[in-house]
Amino acid sequence: MANEDSYNWTHKDLLDTKELSQEDLQHLLDLAAQFQVINKRPVKKVPTLKGKTVILFFVEDSTRTKTSFDVAAKRLSADTFALGRSGSSLNKGESLKDTGLTLQAMNPDVIVIRHSSSGAAEYLAKLLPASIVNGGDGWHAHPTQALLDTFSLRQAWSNNFFGKTLLILGDIAHSRVARSNIQLLRKLGVNIRLCAPRTLLPAGVEHWPVEVYPELASAVRDVDAVMCLRLQLERQQAGLLPDLSEYSRRFCLDQKHLGLAAPDVRVLHPGPMNRGLEIASSVADSPHCLVLDQVAAGVAVRMAVLFLLTQCREGRKNAPD
Ligand code: NCD
């Protein structure tokens, strides 16, 4: 448990996993564990953020991230307002700057933004006094997804990360989830393997702190966890993947390949899953799969993030009982 007396969260915003120290990370995950206890009670609401306002500004589609930020804020008694591209003046050509300034004029405490452009969250963070949380920006970063993945693995691995091996499988080139997870899990001493067709590996991957495997059978051998990634067809140029059935034959995580991993291997997927394309249905429904634990962890982790960004700026340090 982080030392409550000496610890101080100093970040106005959460834009990236890079900015988190080991101490921030441990404190945030410990806090999320406390919120998870609250989430399992019959009455799940605490008054901690009463009077605070959280705006969910999601310019890209989302099921899990948007809903869980909304649930997280409401469980802490904050008021939430959602704004998307459709139904907003972005559709009438309003700039991100003007939309941001308009939202700020309503004096929110936190704005969670999801945007297709890398750097959109950082742009708002520099422009606005509200705390900005990056809910996913282009290919760049998705810090709360990496935090909830880490939280799920921490539970599965009883907080022993060092020397464990995680395979990230699939469309890594277009994945903000992969980038944020690699940064965070390397800090905890997890070895990372990547496996993808050459066209779905990021440029410059040879400089990343990972091992790259072209074949799934060798990549999955003895790993402690596999993170399957969705093919980000909406971000791909034509021609990167000429044949989806060939892709699934070579890179879909099925029972046969999972049998090559460590016996108690865990399977993660940020969702939404394409069953039969990157993950076999039988694997998605198997006891190895943590997908629904990840969703539950998402609420607790986002409660911790909202708490730290608001209450700790005002000098409160402890989660409510
Ligand atoms: C991911 C995202 O949007 O980056 N999903 C999520 O947040 N749960 C991954 C994806 O869309 O494939």
Side-chain angles (χ1 to χ4, degrees):
M1 183 82 191
N3 181 341
E4 302 284 346
D5 294 329
S6 61
Y7 176 78
N8 240 331
W9 174 269
T10 54
H11 309 281
K12 167 187 167 277
D13 311 291
L14 179 62
L15 305 178
D16 202 339
T17 42
K18 263 190 220 151
E19 67 209 37
L20 296 177
S21 68
Q22 285 277 359
E23 212 189 359
D24 291 329
L25 182 57
Q26 294 307 332
H27 188 81
L28 198 154
L29 296 176
D30 286 343
L31 205 51
Q34 295 177 43
F35 283 125
Q36 207 175 38
V37 174
I38 291 176
N39 286 338
K40 288 181 180 157
R41 288 184 191 162
V43 177
K44 302 165 194 60
K45 208 171 170 100
V46 288
T48 319
L49 297 200
K50 200 165 166 39
K52 303 287 177 198
T53 307
V54 177
I55 294 185
L56 308 170
F57 178 31
F58 277 62
V59 184
E60 267 193 349
D61 293 343
S62 171
T63 299
R64 278 147 283 265
T65 307
K66 186 172 164 190
T67 315
S68 67
F69 265 114
D70 199 11
V71 172
K74 287 187 167 119
R75 292 217 171 137
L76 294 170
S77 301
D79 296 313
T80 65
F81 298 95
L83 183 73
R85 175 176 286 281
S86 82
S88 83
S89 290
L90 284 174
N91 258 355
K92 298 182 186 168
E94 187 170 62
S95 67
L96 181 59
K97 176 175 177 175
D98 284 327
T99 307
L101 289 171
T102 302
L103 296 177
Q104 182 63 52
M106 298 175 208
N107 200 15
D109 299 279
V110 181
I111 300 175
V112 184
I113 176 173
R114 168 168 286 193
H115 201 282
S116 54
S117 300
S118 297
E122 189 180 349
Y123 175 77
L124 283 193
K126 288 192 175 133
L127 183 70
L128 307 177
S131 288
I132 305 296
V133 181
N134 184 1
D137 62 330
W139 309 354
H140 169 238
H142 192 349
T144 58
Q145 179 69 42
L147 286 165
L148 74 88
D149 292 337
T150 302
F151 185 83
S152 304
L153 287 172
R154 177 170 122 136
Q155 285 185 320
W157 291 343
S158 311
N159 209 5
N160 294 315
F161 287 92
F162 195 84
K164 292 276 198 298
T165 302
L166 167 74
L167 166 63
I168 304 182
L169 173 64
D171 185 355
I172 296 148
H174 303 98
S175 179
R176 52 197 177 203
V177 174
R179 285 173 176 78
S180 288
N181 264 297
I182 293 168
Q183 270 168 14
L184 203 57
L185 291 167
R186 283 299 302 140
K187 282 189 207 209
L188 296 172
V190 176
N191 304 312
I192 312 280
R193 297 180 185 178
L194 304 184
C195 180
R198 214 166 38 83
T199 49
L200 295 184
L201 284 171
V205 71
E206 59 282 4
H207 304 300
W208 289 23
V210 298
E211 282 183 289
V212 179
Y213 289 74
E215 299 295 334
L216 179 52
S218 46
V220 77
R221 195 166 291 281
D222 299 327
V223 297
D224 301 291
V226 184
M227 181 180 292
C228 300
L229 296 177
R230 182 176 69 86
L231 273 178
Q232 308 259 314
L233 293 170
E234 75 277 23
R235 299 189 206 282
Q236 290 183 8
Q237 307 143 260
L240 281 185
L241 264 191
D243 185 348
L244 288 185
S245 61
E246 167 71 2
Y247 176 83
S248 76
R249 198 181 58 72
R250 290 186 52 205
F251 296 101
C252 180
L253 185 68
D254 55 15
Q255 293 283 2
K256 183 177 74 143
H257 284 105
L258 198 61
L260 301 171
D264 56 352
V265 61
R266 312 298 167 138
V267 177
L268 299 103
H269 193 306
M273 292 190 281
N274 292 306
R275 288 173 182 251
L277 191 52
E278 69 257 356
I279 184 167
S281 238
S282 58
V283 172
D285 295 330
S286 79
H288 294 282
C289 189
L290 298 183
V291 167
L292 298 178
D293 300 81
Q294 289 172 268
V295 176
V299 177
V301 160
R302 287 167 178 135
M303 287 169 86
V305 168
L306 294 174
F307 175 81
L308 287 169
L309 289 175
T310 54
Q311 298 297 292
C312 286
R313 286 171 81 191
E314 294 172 9
R316 278 189 58 173
K317 291 181 177 178
N318 298 324
D321 297 325

